[in-house]
Amino acid sequence: MPLLVAKFGGSSVATIDKIKNIASRIRGMRQEGHQVVAVVSAMGDTTDDLLELAAQAGENLPAREMDMLLATGEQQSAALLALALQNMDCPAISLTGWQAGVRSDATHSKARITGIDNQRVLKELEQNKVVVVAGFQGISPAGDVTTLGRGGSDTSAVALAYSLKAERCMIFTDVDGVYTADPRIVKDACKLGQIAYEEMLEMASLGAVVMQPRAVEFAMLYGVDIEVLSSFGFAPGTIITEVGNMEQQRIVTGVAHDRNCAKIAIFDVPDRPGVASSLFKGLAEERINVDMVIQGATRHEHNDIAFTIESSDVPRALPVVKRLVEEMGASGMACGERVAKVSIVGAGMQSNPGVAAAMFEALAEEGINIEMISTSEIKVSCIINEEQIEKAVNVLHRKFSLDSVE
Ligand code: ADP
Ligand code: ASP
Ligand code: MG
């Protein structure tokens, strides 16, 4: 019997009624002749609520214990979905990530899946059950519970689909596909029928939270096709897959935005070899990921360096940067958290010059100042004032005529 892996995100399992709705959808898949492995996220905002609860326990929050706590969210929804299925006379069993054999490395809170021992899942499927797996969690080589980073149930689903050779990996969410921009911000955004792995990976990494970037990376590496679709309707979704002739594709496929950025500037850094290396090594030692970097022109053998990091890393970054400012003999630093990143993504960009210029022109015409720029073959990103982010996304969506994409 063909096997479907179906992942249901937090908003799709937010209430018991929604869980029952999903249970009847899964029963429908079975009636159509499929075996089903369902992967679930925690109900609604449970993960955020657990994070807030933990913050009340004190300032020192060891990552191992945080993972023990956060993993409980997905266990609740897995058990509730299995209960709802059994109450509809649909045989089902819930499994934690480790019962389902999801092995990971030991990087608590951002663990990577290293392999899946799928015998238990296969045994339950053979017994004609729907297997409901708690997403977002695995087990480290030492036997400790790990979590896979925010949005990590997407990766659980893709990895299970690969391991079980599923016919399809379906990501059910609260929108009916991947759009040319976040449909909550751009009213005339268009649903894409298909998007290449590379473009989806850029969109996701640049803030389109509809897919976790690591899940797309995994799917691209192992050739797993993904369909993103709605838990609440029955319209066909968006297929994320390998697309040939990338350069002949749309010049711009989508606009992404990310408010989770902060900009740190260091002033009057002495212009000598090794300075940038000690700065970024210091941040890397704290596991802080640096995104964009700009080094200004040299004046009197000094220059300014600015870079962006995730807002949530600011509390850990500031002490490191302050220490390095002193050690390097720089004159000072500033941290701006009211910035955001807007990006255009498109595989056809690499063979069409002038796309970046068109982007900058569109932003300038609306009086939006660009603070930093970064480019790759298939994307251009700009750091701007956070207050202007929604306007910027809409302006760029219009500029590249994304309201008429098929
Ligand atoms: P889930 O809880 O199902 O994992 P998420 O909140 O993680 O759902 O992802 C779905 C959300 O992604 C949508 O509600 C939408 O606001 C947002 N989103 C951002 N960019 C896009 C895009 N380009 N296409 C579709 N949705 C997007
Ligand atoms: N519950 C986790 C989160 O909120 C994982 C997920 O939803 O995929 O990030
Ligand atoms: Mg998600």
Side-chain angles (χ1 to χ4, degrees):
M1 242 194 288
L3 170 72
L4 300 179
V5 170
K7 178 256 170 178
F8 299 92
S11 48
S12 311
V13 292
T15 62
I16 286 290
D17 281 343
K18 288 185 174 163
I19 289 178
K20 285 183 178 167
N21 166 50
I22 280 161
S24 42
R25 191 142 190 176
I26 292 172
R27 192 178 51 176
M29 293 174 187
R30 295 245 312 173
Q31 284 162 353
E32 284 165 12
H34 289 102
Q35 287 186 313
V36 183
V37 170
V39 177
V40 285
S41 291
M43 295 170 76
D45 296 328
T46 302
T47 308
D48 291 327
D49 296 345
L50 290 171
L51 283 167
E52 272 173 35
L53 197 61
Q56 293 171 33
E59 280 185 7
N60 177 25
L61 301 173
R64 180 196 179 278
E65 305 309 328
M66 289 303 293
D67 278 357
M68 275 293 278
L69 177 69
L70 296 186
T72 61
E74 271 66 15
Q75 290 177 49
Q76 276 182 16
S77 41
L80 287 168
L81 179 56
L83 289 171
L85 283 160
Q86 289 178 25
N87 277 279
M88 289 176 184
D89 292 327
C90 180
I93 182 167
S94 62
L95 299 176
T96 60
W98 45 101
Q99 286 174 320
V102 180
R103 287 186 277 110
S104 78
D105 64 19
T107 321
H108 286 288
S109 86
K110 289 183 191 165
R112 293 186 88 96
I113 294 180
T114 51
I116 296 190
D117 298 326
N118 59 22
Q119 294 92 326
R120 175 76 190 269
V121 175
L122 290 173
K123 190 179 115 207
E124 303 296 347
L125 286 171
E126 267 166 33
Q127 292 176 8
N128 198 30
K129 291 179 197 157
V130 171
V131 182
V132 185
V133 179
F136 176 55
Q137 51 186 256
I139 190 149
S140 73
D144 286 324
V145 175
T146 56
T147 63
L148 309 176
R150 297 305 305 263
S153 303
D154 293 341
T155 305
S156 309
V158 174
L160 279 161
Y162 173 67
S163 160
L164 297 164
K165 300 190 176 58
E167 180 187 282
R168 226 174 323 155
C169 179
M170 304 168 95
I171 303 285
F172 287 92
T173 182
D174 58 358
V175 282
D176 60 0
V178 178
Y179 279 70
T180 46
D182 187 340
R184 292 183 202 288
I185 293 207
V186 178
K187 293 293 159 247
D188 51 8
C190 287
K191 185 165 88 181
L192 299 164
Q194 173 178 295
I195 183 168
Y197 289 126
E198 289 84 351
E199 291 178 319
M200 190 66 236
L201 183 56
E202 285 287 8
M203 291 277 285
S205 308
L206 295 167
V209 295
V210 63
M211 282 297 303
Q212 195 205 30
R214 204 173 276 175
V216 184
E217 204 177 17
F218 193 107
M220 183 159 96
L221 200 58
Y222 295 104
V224 180
D225 284 354
I226 298 173
E227 182 176 8
V228 177
L229 66 176
S230 167
S231 308
F232 309 111
F234 286 86
T238 301
I239 307 287
I240 307 172
T241 187
E242 166 115 43
V243 174
N245 279 335
M246 290 272 290
E247 291 183 28
Q248 286 167 24
Q249 299 297 313
R250 293 175 287 256
I251 295 177
V252 175
T253 295
V255 183
H257 72 282
D258 190 356
R259 289 190 169 89
N260 181 24
C261 347
K263 178 178 156 189
I264 296 184
I266 306 182
F267 308 117
D268 301 313
V269 180
D271 186 31
R272 58 166 192 262
V275 164
S277 143
S278 60
L279 171 61
F280 295 114
K281 204 166 129 212
L283 291 165
E285 278 165 3
E286 282 295 316
R287 291 187 34 233
I288 295 167
N289 202 18
V290 173
D291 184 14
M292 298 188 193
V293 183
I294 287 188
Q295 178 166 321
T298 307
R299 295 170 269 105
H300 313 299
E301 289 167 17
H302 286 77
N303 47 42
D304 298 340
I305 297 181
F307 56 91
T308 60
I309 58 174
E310 284 183 16
S311 310
S312 48
D313 284 337
V314 167
R316 282 186 301 124
L318 287 183
V320 178
V321 176
K322 281 182 185 150
R323 173 174 55 81
L324 289 165
V325 162
E326 279 193 19
E327 283 175 18
M328 292 185 303
S331 69
M333 59 153 298
C335 174
E337 295 196 55
R338 302 216 43 82
V339 291
K341 182 162 63 177
V342 64
S343 310
I344 52 171
V345 174
M349 219 180 260
Q350 44 197 322
S351 47
N352 283 279
V355 180
M359 176 183 192
F360 305 151
E361 185 185 57
L363 294 174
E365 276 166 11
E366 292 295 326
I368 298 170
N369 186 41
I370 301 172
E371 297 184 26
M372 291 170 103
I373 297 169
S374 92
T375 63
S376 79
E377 283 181 343
I378 66 165
K379 71 117 203 262
V380 186
S381 299
C382 298
I383 294 288
I384 62 169
N385 184 327
E386 189 185 12
E387 279 165 25
Q388 294 179 305
I389 192 71
E390 293 201 9
K391 186 169 159 193
V393 174
N394 277 284
V395 162
L396 296 174
H397 198 265
R398 263 197 311 279
K399 176 78 179 181
F400 294 101
S401 307
L402 294 175
D403 50 356
S404 54
V405 164
E406 281 164 18

